[in-house]
Amino acid sequence: MGAPPGYRPSAWVHLLHQLPRADFQLRPVPSGFAPQEQEYQQALLLVVALAGLGLGLSLIFIAVYLIRFCCCRPPEPPGAKSPPPGGGCVTWSCIAALLVGCAGIGIGFYGNSETSDGVSQLSSALLHANHTLSAIDHLVLETVERLGEAVRTELTTLEEVLVQRPELVAAARGARGQAEAVAQQLQALAFWRGVPLSPLQVAEDVSFVEEYRWLAYVLLLLLELLVCLFTLLGLAKQSKWLVIVMTVMSLLVLVLSWGSMGLEAATAVGLSDFCSSPDTYILNLTQEETGLSSDILNYYFLCNQAVSNPFQQRLTLSQRALANIHSQLQGLEREAVPQFPSAQKPLLSLEETLNVTEGDFHQLVALLHCRGLHKDYGAALRGLCEDALEGLLFLLLFSLLSAGALATTLCSLPRAWALFPPSDDYDDADDDDPFNPQESKRFVQWQSSI
């Protein structure tokens, strides 16, 4: 099958498409895009389940590490003032993990923007295709109504004027028959009229889903950014309560990161299967949803020399009929106007109608050519299979970096917290506050001296 103009499956599409797939019984599943088949659905769900497995292993590792840290920590000697050895390394490892998380957030913002751009390109292509199909329907309807009005008025008036010349009436009736034949041929060219599938509705649905997807990722990215910044602030100020709150928030964001990683991986795998050979699936789906013949769909989706124009015969017959009407009107003008001057007005009106109809016919021929709709098809594939897929891969990298950074942070924060000086809880207390332990001690010493 011919590829749309400017679209070739990328290296990422080929790489992801070659990855092995398996169902819940771990039986191999073909990598062809078949979302309606249960085995293929299970293969994508298994990709999501792998992310869930990664989350479970991360939580188990963090729990074991923290239990070992809390239960197996050697007791500090009484009166020890200096921090245990390795404390600075723990703090800096936590800071390094948070900085890696911040870098991942930047990658996530870029990936979210790329995905949004790809989906926007898809929506724009669908809207342009809808405009072309609507223009075809409108042009056919307008032309048929104009020809019908000419048959009912000008040609009827012309026949009444020429009633005394049977041969001229026969010529007028011949023009009537040709005009009715053209109208009948043109009506069959509005192939999308009455089709339940609307590209406009599809574009609106895609834009609606993308708007909420983009917003959800922006909120996730901002949440993780705030967690990283406030965690760094807590470490800098050695604030225990802030570190405790950020530890809980880090655990929440860790779960969200692994969840988004599963969705991104499954979507990227499914999208790569679709983009490796999109024509077959799109043809079958469009034929199922619209009921159009395979000749019409192959012409627009493939648009190559091997596929003929399914409307060529009707266009040729219509063009010949318009030429015949034109010659018949010219003959009537030469024969009838000298003898019947009142026939000149309906003939001139018919000539004007015929000229407008021929102009619309040439515009209709250009709109029916496969070039325009096939170009929209290629633009939609490029947006979905290049920009959107690339954005998904960047989002996948963000989730991976985020999960690793947060897991490291969750392991490091309790150890960093243990290094905070005991006076941390009273750093912000007022020096004149009687409940401040330092002030209370000075007060007792003053009373003893008295």
Side-chain angles (χ1 to χ4, degrees):
M1 290 189 174
Y7 170 72
R8 293 291 185 276
S10 65
W12 286 112
V13 170
H14 288 298
L15 178 62
L16 293 173
H17 186 62
Q18 296 301 322
L19 293 177
R21 289 148 178 76
D23 59 10
F24 290 161
Q25 285 76 36
L26 300 182
R27 293 174 300 189
V29 175
S31 57
F33 188 68
Q36 71 281 358
E37 296 183 3
Q38 184 177 4
E39 292 80 7
Y40 189 80
Q41 296 173 2
Q42 291 180 0
L44 295 183
L45 290 176
L46 191 61
V47 176
V48 180
L50 290 177
L53 178 63
L55 172 62
L57 293 176
S58 297
L59 294 178
I60 292 174
F61 173 79
I62 293 171
V64 170
Y65 181 86
L66 294 181
I67 291 174
R68 180 178 177 277
F69 168 72
C70 294
C71 299
C72 303
R73 183 173 55 178
E76 297 182 2
K81 296 293 184 179
S82 60
C89 180
V90 171
T91 303
W92 281 109
S93 64
C94 184
I95 293 174
L98 292 172
L99 292 178
V100 170
C102 292
I105 292 171
I107 295 174
F109 273 110
Y110 175 77
N112 197 35
S113 177
E114 279 292 298
T115 304
S116 181
D117 290 343
V119 176
S120 297
Q121 188 174 348
L122 169 64
S123 300
S124 299
L126 288 171
L127 291 175
H128 192 270
N130 182 76
H131 180 268
T132 301
L133 295 172
S134 301
I136 292 173
D137 292 345
H138 176 73
L139 201 57
V140 167
L141 180 61
E142 188 180 60
T143 304
V144 170
E145 289 181 351
R146 186 185 303 111
L147 287 174
E149 183 67 21
V151 168
R152 288 190 301 269
T153 56
E154 282 87 357
L155 281 174
T156 301
T157 303
L158 189 60
E159 291 176 9
E160 293 174 354
V161 171
L162 303 176
V163 69
Q164 298 178 4
R165 295 283 301 273
E167 70 278 10
L168 297 180
V169 173
R173 288 177 179 173
R176 174 194 290 269
Q178 294 285 348
E180 292 174 348
V182 171
Q184 184 177 3
Q185 294 291 341
L186 291 179
Q187 283 180 339
L189 298 179
F191 64 94
W192 202 263
R193 184 182 302 168
V195 171
L197 180 63
S198 171
L200 176 62
Q201 185 61 44
V202 175
E204 290 177 350
D205 293 342
V206 168
S207 298
F208 177 80
V209 173
E210 170 57 21
E211 181 180 354
Y212 283 95
R213 185 212 64 80
W214 179 86
L215 180 61
Y217 267 99
V218 168
L219 293 177
L220 176 61
L221 290 164
L222 291 178
L223 176 62
E224 182 170 351
L225 180 61
L226 290 176
V227 168
C228 291
L229 293 179
F230 277 103
T231 303
L232 290 173
L233 179 64
L235 292 174
K237 293 180 66 65
Q238 296 187 342
S239 174
K240 288 185 177 180
W241 70 268
L242 188 55
V243 169
I244 292 174
V245 172
M246 289 303 105
T247 301
V248 176
M249 294 301 297
S250 297
L251 182 62
L252 172 63
V253 177
L254 177 67
V255 175
L256 294 177
S257 297
W258 277 104
S260 65
M261 187 188 305
L263 294 178
E264 292 151 7
T267 305
V269 169
L271 193 56
S272 68
D273 293 340
F274 168 78
C275 296
S276 63
S277 180
D279 293 340
T280 302
Y281 178 77
I282 290 293
L283 279 170
N284 294 334
L285 179 63
T286 308
Q287 187 171 14
E288 180 182 346
E289 294 292 331
T290 62
L292 294 175
S293 66
S294 58
D295 294 338
I296 295 176
L297 296 178
N298 285 329
Y299 175 66
Y300 285 109
F301 281 113
L302 305 183
C303 194
N304 53 35
Q305 299 296 330
V307 182
S308 60
N309 187 346
F311 307 110
Q312 188 60 50
Q313 184 178 1
R314 295 184 181 277
L315 292 173
T316 302
L317 293 176
S318 299
Q319 189 174 15
R320 290 176 182 174
L322 288 174
N324 291 335
I325 295 173
H326 195 71
S327 62
Q328 288 172 348
L329 292 180
Q330 288 180 344
L332 286 173
E333 189 174 2
R334 288 193 306 268
E335 297 291 334
V337 171
Q339 188 177 356
F340 303 97
S342 58
Q344 184 174 10
K345 183 177 180 180
L347 281 172
L348 290 176
S349 180
L350 285 170
E351 287 282 356
E352 182 181 354
T353 300
L354 185 62
N355 291 333
V356 175
T357 301
E358 287 179 339
D360 289 346
F361 178 79
H362 291 302
Q363 185 180 356
L364 185 60
V365 171
L367 288 173
L368 285 171
H369 197 276
C370 66
R371 237 183 348 258
L373 289 175
H374 191 64
K375 185 178 179 181
D376 295 332
Y377 176 50
L381 285 182
R382 287 193 300 274
L384 191 62
C385 299
E386 293 178 4
D387 293 342
L389 181 59
E390 180 184 351
L392 273 176
L393 294 177
F394 276 108
L395 287 175
L396 185 61
L397 178 59
F398 147 72
S399 298
L400 186 62
L401 292 175
S402 173
L406 290 172
T408 305
T409 302
L410 286 172
C411 291
S412 303
L413 280 179
R415 297 189 64 182
W417 176 20
L419 300 175
F420 291 171
S423 60
D424 172 71
D425 295 334
Y426 308 104
D427 283 346
D428 298 331
D430 190 359
D431 291 339
D432 296 331
D433 187 359
F435 296 100
N436 187 343
Q438 301 295 333
E439 184 66 23
S440 300
K441 184 178 180 180
R442 287 195 295 269
F443 180 73
V444 171
Q445 292 176 350
W446 175 73
Q447 278 189 333
S448 299
S449 63
I450 294 177

